[in-house]
Amino acid sequence: MSPTKQIARLLGLPPEQDRLVGDVIMCREFAGPREVCAALAEVASLNRQHEEALSRLWADQEVAAVEIPGAARAVTRARELGFAVGLVSDIWVPYYQAFLRACPDIAPLVDYAALSFRLGRKKPAEELYRAALEALDADPRRSVMIGDTYEKDILPAKNLGLATIWVLSRPEREYPAMARVLWGEWPRPDIIVPDTSRLARALDELEQKRRGTCTWK
């Protein structure tokens, strides 16, 4: 369960208010859980038990990240192919710190991170993608977005002219988007893979397509 949902449940908020919690924790750069509690007081009443639970959640999130199999190989391959590497992420401070610790082979290869807590916006806001493209001096027509959520990752990237690789690792969450793609309402990703272990190969296919020696599948 995402930290947004965990906090909303902890505070007894209805599901329709999850977004309010997300707008707080994912869009501000907090120094610690005390600042989180002060900010959340804008949307809910907190007591001592809530504050203690939020402090535990912060500590848990600082060590919660694990490297996804195939991710380091994919990022390394992207660099080998000449890509600059950017992150575009809805994330809050403790989990980003966990990523840096858990992924020592990936973090140093990242040239720019467009993070929601730094930019004050969440996906699918195009400002996040534009910030990454501008920071990397990247031409959208020669760039590729890799993501596992169609509406937040693939669609905004398509709207900006990027090639896309959809990691369809959680199809049960993506059924509505899958249907709209099949019906032709939303553009089809350039490549679809079932998990991150296929990403390095997918990047090779994109490069072959650029050179005119392969047809995207």
Side-chain angles (χ1 to χ4, degrees):
M1 186 183 295
S2 71
T4 294
K5 290 186 179 297
Q6 290 186 61
I7 292 172
R9 301 300 176 273
L10 170 68
L11 300 179
L13 299 175
E16 60 269 19
Q17 290 191 311
D18 287 2
R19 182 185 60 80
L20 297 178
V21 173
D23 288 344
V24 171
I25 71 167
M26 299 290 181
C27 294
R28 306 186 196 182
E29 189 164 3
F30 298 110
R34 183 172 297 180
E35 290 186 3
V36 176
C37 292
L40 286 171
E42 299 172 8
V43 299
S45 298
L46 276 68
N47 56 36
R48 174 59 67 85
Q49 288 73 29
H50 292 147
E51 293 172 355
E52 291 174 351
L54 285 165
S55 293
R56 290 193 297 271
L57 177 61
W58 179 286
D60 290 344
Q61 288 277 288
E62 286 183 315
V63 296
V66 295
E67 185 175 313
I68 299 172
R73 176 59 187 144
V75 176
T76 299
R77 186 59 183 149
R79 292 298 293 265
E80 291 171 350
L81 291 170
F83 285 101
V85 175
L87 298 182
V88 179
S89 180
D90 287 348
I91 197 168
W92 70 324
V93 173
Y95 200 77
Y96 182 62
Q97 293 171 346
F99 156 72
L100 295 176
R101 297 187 184 99
C103 301
D105 295 328
I106 297 176
L109 300 180
V110 176
D111 298 294
Y112 178 76
L115 308 177
S116 61
F117 71 76
R118 288 179 179 165
L119 298 179
R121 298 295 303 274
K122 295 190 302 178
K123 296 186 294 187
E126 289 187 0
E127 289 90 338
L128 288 166
Y129 300 88
R130 293 186 187 279
L133 291 167
E134 291 173 6
L136 299 172
D137 192 25
D139 182 346
R141 296 168 298 178
R142 297 181 61 83
S143 302
V144 56
M145 176 66 186
I146 300 170
D148 65 353
T149 303
Y150 186 95
E151 194 166 356
K152 291 185 177 182
D153 296 322
I154 305 303
L155 186 58
K158 276 291 187 186
N159 290 339
L160 290 173
L162 282 74
T164 55
I165 301 175
W166 190 9
V167 183
L168 195 52
S169 57
R170 300 180 295 179
E172 70 281 359
R173 299 188 181 189
E174 295 293 300
Y175 285 146
M178 292 164 63
R180 298 189 73 169
V181 170
L182 288 172
W183 294 333
E185 296 179 7
W186 283 346
R188 192 180 191 280
D190 297 289
I191 296 179
I192 301 174
V193 297
D195 54 62
T196 52
S197 69
R198 309 288 184 89
L199 281 175
R201 179 179 175 182
L203 287 167
D204 285 334
E205 290 182 13
L206 285 173
E207 183 64 12
Q208 291 167 12
K209 172 62 177 179
R210 179 187 299 176
R211 295 175 180 175
T213 59
C214 178
T215 300
W216 284 338
K217 300 178 180 179

